[in-house]
Amino acid sequence: MEERWEDMWKTYEEALNWIHGIRTFGKKPGLKRMEWMMERLAHPEKKTPAIHVAGTNGKGSTVTFIRNMLEEHGLVVGTFTSPFIEVFNERISVNGEPIEDSEIVRLANIIYPLAQELEETGVGGPSEFEVITAMMFTYFGEGHVDVAVIEVGLGGLYDSTNIVLPEVSVITTIGMDHMAILGDTLPEIAKQKAGIIKPTVPVVTGNIPHEALKEIKQLASECQSPLYQYATDFWIEDWHTLPTWGEQFTFEDETLRLRTIQLSMLGKHQVENAAAAIKAVELYAERKQLTLKHEALLRGLKRAFWPGRMEKISDEPIIVLDGAHNEPGVERLVETIKHDFPEQEVRILFSAVVNKDIQQMVDLIQSLPNVQLSLTTFDSPKAATSEELGPYIRSGITYYEQWQAGLLSELETMGEGGILFITGSLYFISEVRRELLAAD
């Protein structure tokens, strides 16, 4: 299709500048723009089997658990995730490898004329995320993958990925985040997330609060979609944290018992994400007549890794990166510290973007008796600055204008056996990870 016009973008940088320069805010919610583009592209979203993953937190980890288990069964697995941690291309990946720069250029040139044409219609031009989503569906629809595991960008009901008709839908968690867009109560947010439920398509839910689960149950019932709930239809047993880092547990449902599962990611929330992923893979296998092998499932789960999520990047001293970028994420971080490091000295270097409930996150962290909290900022227009963090800098909290200086200071003053968590915004984690790994 790209042969109909001369390519607008010649280089990767030109293509990215166009994509990142697209106006996002002020776009009317809805799927009309995506449906219009998919129609013009001969519906690539219908050409590849998919698993669709929504949720407040845990989407990326769940996607990577699913991907690794399916890969271990010999499938070529495409993933669509956001935001990126290292390079933009990782948003569209195949078997964990980001697509080539040349593919980004080619795909951008396919979507650009459609975006220009759409701009002249009544619905207006696409948003940045809609363009990237259209690129993803185009690439996966060309036959590069056997299955696509697609992460929702925001919410679910009006998210641009929601044009897909998946084999299985997954809702990992429901928590208070993006309230200005999704609603300010758990049931309202749950309605938006549950918008990915499609008629008769099975739905897997993670550890979700009762008041949010009620909304999901109601919509699943209306859609005649089989619902599989964590701790009701599938569950975990014998969970414990490994001394070498990670988790071990047993998964069980009515037909499958998977013992001595080991995860390389830390925290009970990762166990819950993995359990939902196992159930999703089991349902996908049933629908596609794929024979599951216990050893392949175990290898995939152990191999699964998601950068910036309880990622230990140094052993001596122990330094951990964790993108606890909202209140539910910080709650999970606090739970993990309470469970795994109750007696150790814990330092936390935290930074956030301006539209988050920073007060609530700071209060949660300070509820831990063995934690020393420091705040900082990072190089992004979205980052909370010293002025915006000022109200939260109180007794017992240090502020660093440069996170690099904060990191050095924390490591110099931390006692032997202490642990440093660098946490907060995923944009912050991405910047820190890039610099620290480059230094190695």
Side-chain angles (χ1 to χ4, degrees), residues 171-423:
I171 304 173
T172 57
T173 59
I174 303 289
M176 302 302 283
D177 197 19
H178 298 294
M179 284 92 80
I181 299 169
L182 303 180
D184 53 13
T185 68
L186 286 181
E188 287 175 333
I189 293 171
K191 280 183 180 179
Q192 292 293 318
K193 307 286 185 187
I196 70 166
I197 296 174
K198 306 296 193 307
T200 73
V201 174
V203 186
V204 177
T205 58
N207 188 359
I208 290 176
H210 175 71
E211 62 268 40
L213 194 57
K214 280 175 61 179
E215 299 293 336
I216 296 170
K217 283 181 175 179
Q218 181 177 334
L219 188 54
S221 176
E222 291 171 4
C223 290
Q224 297 183 309
S225 301
L227 180 63
Y228 299 89
Q229 304 169 53
Y230 172 82
T232 300
D233 302 293
F234 61 96
W235 51 92
I236 63 170
E237 297 175 344
D238 307 323
W239 162 59
H240 61 274
T241 301
L242 296 168
T244 53
W245 195 268
E247 308 293 346
Q248 182 171 302
F249 67 103
T250 294
F251 170 94
E252 189 168 357
D253 63 14
E254 288 185 356
T255 59
L256 176 66
R257 181 174 173 84
L258 200 59
R259 302 181 63 181
T260 323
I261 299 167
Q262 291 189 10
L263 306 181
S264 301
M265 291 189 274
L266 193 67
K268 189 182 181 187
H269 58 294
Q270 296 296 5
V271 173
E272 294 166 357
N273 293 335
I278 294 166
K279 189 63 189 179
V281 167
E282 186 184 9
L283 292 168
Y284 180 82
E286 286 177 13
R287 288 171 71 91
K288 306 304 286 186
Q289 298 183 320
L290 172 69
T291 301
L292 293 181
K293 300 173 184 176
H294 284 213
E295 288 304 314
L297 293 172
L298 292 173
R299 282 196 308 270
L301 289 161
K302 187 173 184 179
R303 187 163 64 94
F305 160 75
W306 194 233
R309 274 67 164 188
M310 280 294 171
E311 179 186 5
K312 184 169 64 168
I313 61 167
S314 171
D315 287 310
E316 291 183 11
I318 295 177
I319 303 175
V320 181
L321 302 181
D322 186 48
H325 61 285
N326 53 23
E327 185 182 338
V330 172
E331 285 174 354
R332 293 302 181 95
L333 173 63
V334 167
E335 288 169 9
T336 301
I337 292 172
K338 281 181 180 177
H339 182 267
D340 294 333
F341 312 108
E343 306 298 328
Q344 287 168 269
E345 176 194 7
V346 176
R347 303 288 184 98
I348 291 181
L349 184 62
F350 175 84
S351 191
V353 294
V354 290
N355 63 348
K356 300 295 181 179
D357 190 344
I358 297 173
Q359 182 68 69
Q360 189 67 26
M361 292 191 282
V362 166
D363 289 346
L364 282 165
I365 293 169
Q366 284 215 295
S367 70
L368 292 166
N370 62 323
V371 167
Q372 171 65 49
L373 173 63
S374 296
L375 305 180
T376 189
T377 189
F378 60 103
D379 184 20
S380 169
K382 298 180 179 181
T385 63
S386 57
E387 291 78 14
E388 285 149 343
L389 290 171
Y392 315 112
I393 302 169
R394 52 184 182 246
S395 177
I397 297 179
T398 306
Y399 174 76
Y400 297 103
E401 188 62 44
Q402 301 287 333
W403 66 259
Q404 295 89 340
L407 172 62
L408 289 174
S409 177
E410 293 299 312
L411 293 176
E412 286 171 358
T413 57
M414 189 168 67
E416 188 176 343
I419 299 175
L420 174 61
F421 285 88
I422 303 174
T423 189

Side-chain angles (χ1 to χ4, degrees), residues 66-248:
I66 293 170
R67 171 179 73 80
N68 280 277
M69 283 187 282
L70 292 176
E71 267 187 58
E72 288 290 344
H73 285 83
L75 298 181
V76 179
V77 187
T79 51
F80 182 60
T81 56
S82 59
F84 65 90
I85 297 296
E86 293 178 332
V87 293
F88 172 84
N89 306 32
E90 72 193 47
R91 299 183 72 165
I92 306 172
S93 293
V94 178
N95 283 359
E97 292 297 321
I99 63 174
E100 298 290 334
D101 291 359
S102 58
E103 288 296 323
I104 295 292
V105 176
R106 182 179 68 85
L107 294 166
N109 277 312
I110 292 173
I111 304 304
Y112 174 75
L114 297 181
Q116 294 299 103
E117 191 176 342
L118 193 53
E119 193 75 58
E120 303 304 318
T121 68
V123 295
S127 67
E128 176 182 354
F129 190 69
E130 287 169 334
V131 164
I132 300 167
T133 305
M135 291 167 62
M136 173 270 296
F137 279 126
T138 299
Y139 186 79
F140 292 158
E142 292 171 340
H144 299 285
V145 301
D146 298 318
V147 56
V149 189
I150 298 171
E151 178 187 329
V152 166
L154 175 62
L157 180 61
Y158 299 120
D159 188 76
S160 61
T161 64
N162 203 29
I163 56 170
V164 74
L165 180 62
E167 300 293 332
V168 183
S169 303
V170 183
I171 304 173
T172 57
T173 59
I174 303 289
M176 302 302 283
D177 197 19
H178 298 294
M179 284 92 80
I181 299 169
L182 303 180
D184 53 13
T185 68
L186 286 181
E188 287 175 333
I189 293 171
K191 280 183 180 179
Q192 292 293 318
K193 307 286 185 187
I196 70 166
I197 296 174
K198 306 296 193 307
T200 73
V201 174
V203 186
V204 177
T205 58
N207 188 359
I208 290 176
H210 175 71
E211 62 268 40
L213 194 57
K214 280 175 61 179
E215 299 293 336
I216 296 170
K217 283 181 175 179
Q218 181 177 334
L219 188 54
S221 176
E222 291 171 4
C223 290
Q224 297 183 309
S225 301
L227 180 63
Y228 299 89
Q229 304 169 53
Y230 172 82
T232 300
D233 302 293
F234 61 96
W235 51 92
I236 63 170
E237 297 175 344
D238 307 323
W239 162 59
H240 61 274
T241 301
L242 296 168
T244 53
W245 195 268
E247 308 293 346
Q248 182 171 302

